[in-house]
């Protein structure tokens, strides 16, 4: 679970979580979805395009809560983001993870809480523990300054 406070509106934060032009800037990932509950979610990263019948929007309550299942770990994705095949194969057998974004207005800022549900003993846990802090920092910086943090 990660929490940050962003000087923005719930509407602008929702836009940053759902519009490909935004997510690509701070995360390097673009999503295709109509963002309704049950809708398919296509994950695009590094030239790889992942879709799967189990990759869906779980909750879509605009400006309050968004939840979806995590992407499918394909060979194309692993090549695109330079993940070894052995690591990808281990990820592929873990139970599918979910991520939830809770947005709470707090005056002129929004409290964003991100919760990811996964096997704490799995490889994904370690990867996400390293991934969420820079992603959320870049999201906050983009919304507050107009530019994301520089990529490493």
């Amino acid at each position: 679970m990660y929490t940050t406070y962003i000087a923005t509106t719930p509407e602008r934060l929702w836009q940053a979580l759902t519009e490909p032009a935004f997510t690509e800037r701070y995360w390097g990932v673009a999503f295709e979805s109509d963002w309704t509950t049950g809708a398919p979610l296509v994950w695009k990263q590094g030239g790889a395009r992942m879709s799967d019948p189990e990759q869906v929007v779980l909750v879509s309550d605009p400006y309050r809560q968004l939840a979806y299942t995590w992407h499918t770990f394909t060979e194309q994705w692993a090549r695109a983001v330079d993940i070894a095949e052995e690591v990808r194969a281990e990820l592929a057998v873990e139970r599918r993870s979910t991520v939830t974004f809770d947005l709470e207005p707090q005056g002129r800022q929004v409290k964003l809480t991100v919760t990811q549900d996964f096997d704490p003993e799995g490889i994904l846990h370690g990867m996400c523990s390293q991934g969420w802090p820079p992603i959320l920092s870049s999201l906050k910086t983009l919304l507050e300054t107009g530019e994301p943090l520089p990529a490493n």
Side-chain angles (χ1 to χ4, degrees):
M1 179 183 296
Y2 301 91
T3 300
T4 189
Y5 294 81
I6 305 173
T8 192
T9 64
E11 294 81 8
R12 187 80 168 144
L13 180 52
W14 183 268
Q15 183 183 23
L17 293 172
T18 60
E19 288 188 10
F22 261 108
T23 59
E24 186 94 60
R25 288 188 71 197
Y26 68 88
W27 193 342
V29 174
F31 298 103
E32 290 177 8
S33 182
D34 70 10
W35 300 107
T36 58
T37 301
L41 176 68
V42 176
W43 181 295
K44 298 187 325 186
Q45 183 177 17
R49 184 176 191 277
M50 285 85 55
S51 63
D52 186 281
E54 293 182 27
Q55 199 171 286
V56 297
V57 176
L58 300 171
V59 177
S60 182
D61 185 2
Y63 322 126
R64 288 191 208 120
Q65 187 177 63
L66 177 66
Y68 49 84
T69 55
W70 206 244
H71 71 86
T72 303
F73 299 104
T74 65
E75 291 177 14
Q76 181 189 25
W77 168 80
R79 284 191 302 275
V81 298
D82 200 27
I83 299 289
E85 174 54 24
E86 308 80 60
V87 173
R88 188 215 57 87
E90 286 184 51
L91 288 166
V93 297
E94 290 185 23
R95 72 173 166 79
R96 188 175 296 270
S97 177
T98 62
V99 64
T100 302
F101 301 87
D102 288 300
L103 292 69
E104 298 175 50
Q106 309 252 313
R108 291 190 286 172
Q109 58 188 357
V110 178
K111 177 183 176 185
L112 173 64
T113 303
V114 179
T115 308
Q116 189 159 6
D117 170 36
F118 40 50
D119 177 359
E121 302 301 316
I123 226 171
L124 182 61
H125 178 263
M127 292 173 78
C128 289
S129 295
Q130 306 257 333
W132 279 120
I135 290 167
L136 295 176
S137 294
S138 193
L139 167 62
K140 176 179 172 61
T141 301
L142 174 61
L143 286 170
E144 292 180 349
T145 72
E147 292 297 323
L149 292 175
N152 289 340

